[in-house]
Amino acid sequence: MTVLNCENAQSDSERGFCPLRASVAVTVGVGATAAVVVAALVQAAGDDPIGAALSVAVPAEYRALIEEAGNTCPEVSPNLLAALLQQESGFNPGARSPVGAQGIAQFMPSTWESHGIDANGDGKRDVWDPEDAIPSSAKYLCTLSEDVKGVPGNRQHNMLAAYNAGSGAVQKYGGVPPYEETQNYVRTISAAAGTSSGGKRTATTQQAATAIAAARSMLGRPYSWGGGNVHGPSTGICCSPNGSSGAAITGFDCSGLTLYAYAQAGITLPRTAAAQYAATEPVRNPRPGDLVFYGSTPASIHHVGIYVGNGWMIDAPRPGTTVRYSPMDTMSDLFAVGRPIPQHHKEI
């Protein structure tokens, strides 16, 4: 039995390389039950193909606002904020509801009076201006998260429910209230944002960003079979199934890199690619920092990388290469994308 199971083939044909395409839709199997379609937009992006922190589709004029405001507090992510704005107004800054909610974030006038901020510093708080309304929405979500922090259940779900139905209703019912509209609201936004509907605690956007930064700092480090640990690059072992030895090479193999990257974010992953899959929650809407797995079954997963956006990942591909950016369709057997779950393991 080998100590780990990363990609070992020596040629592109053996590894199942696909030709690089401008856009590719890859069918990903999750366990033995479902197929996930990942839209892998592969662009000619030079040395640093990281494009954005968002996997939710957002109009270009609001992307920077949402990415910045989406890190206002731990319970709010850029994807969650984008999904909320899509649900509230379809990103229409002139939206007005039949009951009087206003703007891209659909603030009621009384709520805006209490929680609207002059985020762009132009001297006025304007509910119709996305530069004020989007940061105000994120700040208000954070306020609601504090309001319901003592309520049992998923804190993000309770926060979203409070945005829709009010903190009082969440506190009264001890969680998401039994209103069909509110329950559908929470379910829809959570699904669009790629959060776990089961309430499992997965890596936060901040932890994902830390892991990506750690992996990026190792670009150019050599591949070493069995190399890499929580402290960084290390000498590997002998030998891979095709006879490659890492005993004299200081560097990383695929799972050694992901192990190191997430250790810097405070998340301990298992050592092998297959075991790392067992320590993640499969997601339908990948976000930067998620782990990308290759294989035909959970037990046969042989490679893992860290998704960075726009169809690219950082990985340690195989002997003779270095840590680098690779397109997600670099191998034909893309199996699943998963978000690390601290101290969680599922059977494989």
Side-chain angles (χ1 to χ4, degrees):
M1 178 180 293
T2 58
V3 175
L4 65 161
N5 190 20
C6 291
E7 181 60 28
N8 305 299
Q10 294 297 295
S11 70
D12 287 357
S13 60
E14 289 173 342
R15 297 175 67 241
F17 265 54
C18 301
L20 186 62
R21 298 183 290 275
S23 180
V24 58
V26 185
T27 299
V28 185
V30 177
T33 59
V36 177
V37 177
V38 178
L41 177 61
V42 181
Q43 301 177 341
D47 293 334
D48 189 350
I50 295 179
L54 289 163
S55 62
V56 175
V58 171
E61 62 266 36
Y62 305 134
R63 180 174 291 271
L65 279 169
I66 291 171
E67 287 177 344
E68 181 176 357
N71 290 291
T72 301
C73 66
E75 289 72 37
V76 177
S77 70
N79 273 334
L80 183 139
L81 181 58
L84 180 141
L85 295 171
Q86 171 64 48
Q87 178 71 13
E88 289 287 352
S89 69
F91 299 107
N92 177 9
R96 187 191 298 269
S97 79
V99 296
Q102 300 173 337
I104 195 169
Q106 289 292 277
F107 277 97
M108 293 296 290
S110 59
T111 306
W112 178 257
E113 184 63 29
S114 301
H115 297 282
I117 60 174
D118 174 20
N120 62 4
D122 66 356
K124 59 181 179 180
R125 299 182 302 137
D126 186 354
V127 72
W128 305 107
D129 185 348
E131 291 185 2
D132 287 345
I134 290 175
S136 294
S137 179
K139 182 176 179 293
Y140 183 46
L141 281 168
C142 295
T143 298
L144 293 173
S145 177
E146 281 297 306
D147 288 347
V148 300
K149 67 180 180 181
V151 178
N154 184 293
R155 189 164 173 177
Q156 278 188 330
H157 292 179
N158 289 341
M159 175 186 69
L160 290 171
Y163 197 95
N164 178 259
S167 300
V170 175
Q171 293 164 347
K172 175 182 177 180
Y173 289 102
V176 178
Y179 310 148
E180 183 177 359
E181 176 191 333
T182 302
Q183 292 181 348
N184 287 338
Y185 181 87
V186 171
R187 188 180 303 114
T188 299
I189 293 175
S190 296
T195 58
S196 169
S197 61
K200 296 175 182 176
R201 183 171 65 91
T202 57
T204 65
T205 53
Q206 183 58 53
Q207 288 173 314
T210 299
I212 290 174
R216 290 179 69 183
S217 73
M218 295 298 159
L219 288 168
R221 293 278 185 166
Y223 182 98
S224 175
W225 174 258
N229 55 42
V230 297
H231 303 295
S234 68
T235 54
I237 59 174
C238 185
C239 284
S240 72
N242 65 10
S244 297
S245 174
I249 302 173
T250 300
F252 295 95
D253 63 16
C254 64
S255 55
L257 177 66
T258 53
L259 171 71
Y260 164 74
Y262 263 100
Q264 309 320 298
I267 294 178
T268 301
L269 292 174
R271 184 59 183 84
T272 69
Q276 288 181 6
Y277 167 72
T280 65
E281 177 76 3
V283 294
R284 293 180 178 273
N285 299 293
R287 77 180 185 202
D290 290 343
L291 299 182
V292 185
F293 296 97
Y294 297 82
S296 57
T297 67
S300 70
I301 288 171
H302 58 81
H303 189 66
V304 61
I306 301 177
Y307 181 62
V308 295
N310 285 347
W312 291 81
M313 64 181 176
I314 298 176
D315 68 337
R318 64 187 188 279
T321 65
T322 62
V323 176
R324 68 187 189 190
Y325 292 112
S326 299
M328 284 175 66
D329 67 349
T330 194
M331 281 176 268
S332 61
D333 57 348
L334 178 56
F335 179 74
V337 179
R339 190 160 301 150
I341 304 173
Q343 300 180 341
H344 172 80
H345 302 279
K346 56 178 177 289
E347 295 181 0
I348 59 172

